[in-house]
Amino acid sequence: MADAGFDMEACLAGLRRQDERAATDFVRELYPLVLKLVRSHLPRRSSEEDLCQVVFIKILSNIGQYSGKVPIEHWVSRITINTCLNALKAESVRPELRWSDLSVEQAALLEAIASNPDEPDPSGGAASRDMVETLLAALNPQDRLLITMLHLEGYSMDDIRQATGWNIATIKVRAFRARQKLKRIFQELNSQGKL
């Protein structure tokens, strides 16, 4: 991730000396990574810019804890994901989703899927994305993160293990249970709409 001409070791040494220039360079270098992760796991009511700032405050205030045993990008990713998880927890999303919670477009998309599951409507891309986000919001933050990383972003099990600190068995079990919950929520919405 780091630019070939960028000296991360010198930058980290400057950060430990509380050099403002090093902090500016560090943020500029790792901002794209943090922004990508925040956008992937952004809580509904949070501003991505605010969450990025919180992440960098945590990173810069705890830079002394970075041991150098893993690449800095991994350490930054883990802090970013944990910050997003904490924001999702704080958001206290309702655990259930009702038909009335859906927008008109989402309800129409759900009706179209239920009535003709073999032929998706190509014009429903934005509504489909909204529907997926709505269904994911019904999951707890850890399950939402896992399903997003595994199925929407294509992370491998090992990548998820490194980013979250969970073991592979936990990841597999959580993913299975989260998929079952999504299926149950979808079926409940389908039955509420009397499709």
Side-chain angles (χ1 to χ4, degrees):
M1 180 98 216
D3 182 12
F6 185 77
D7 186 1
M8 184 59 77
E9 293 302 319
C11 183
L12 290 171
L15 286 174
R16 288 187 179 100
R17 291 188 313 269
Q18 299 182 350
D19 179 12
E20 286 184 39
R21 174 80 175 158
T24 302
D25 292 342
F26 182 81
V27 170
R28 185 179 15 248
E29 186 68 19
L30 291 174
Y31 186 80
L33 171 67
V34 170
L35 182 61
K36 177 183 172 194
L37 291 169
V38 164
R39 283 182 176 164
S40 298
H41 311 294
L42 183 68
R44 283 182 171 190
R45 295 179 212 117
S46 297
S47 159
E48 66 185 32
E49 192 61 38
D50 291 345
L51 210 49
C52 285
Q53 287 179 6
V54 169
V55 167
F56 278 109
I57 288 169
K58 286 182 179 183
I59 291 169
L60 294 173
S61 63
N62 294 305
I63 198 68
Q65 295 177 5
Y66 175 65
S67 66
K69 293 180 182 176
V70 296
I72 188 71
E73 292 85 2
H74 290 197
W75 189 72
V76 167
S77 295
R78 190 161 188 175
I79 290 173
T80 303
I81 289 172
N82 285 332
T83 302
C84 289
L85 283 174
N86 291 338
L88 285 166
K89 284 179 189 175
E91 193 176 66
S92 66
V93 175
R94 289 185 307 184
E96 68 180 46
L97 184 63
R98 297 185 189 116
W99 188 265
S100 60
D101 292 334
L102 301 176
S103 69
V104 174
E105 295 84 14
Q106 291 171 336
L109 176 67
L110 186 59
E111 288 176 15
I113 290 171
S115 65
N116 194 1
D118 296 331
E119 297 179 32
D121 180 11
S123 65
S128 297
R129 180 172 169 78
D130 289 344
M131 174 61 75
V132 168
E133 289 176 4
T134 301
L135 289 171
L136 286 174
L139 296 176
N140 69 44
Q142 292 87 0
D143 291 345
R144 179 181 178 183
L145 169 71
L146 178 59
I147 292 297
T148 301
M149 291 179 78
L150 188 62
H151 296 293
L152 299 179
E153 296 173 352
Y155 281 80
S156 70
M157 292 279 185
D158 193 50
D159 292 339
I160 295 170
R161 182 189 58 76
Q162 289 178 358
T164 62
W166 301 333
N167 66 42
I168 297 293
T170 300
I171 293 169
K172 288 180 180 180
V173 169
R174 287 193 88 123
F176 174 78
R177 290 180 181 164
R179 286 190 299 268
Q180 293 301 311
K181 184 171 183 180
L182 284 174
K183 185 177 180 181
R184 190 172 58 250
I185 293 166
F186 181 81
Q187 290 169 343
E188 288 170 7
L189 284 173
N190 196 7
S191 68
Q192 289 176 11
K194 298 179 181 144
L195 301 174

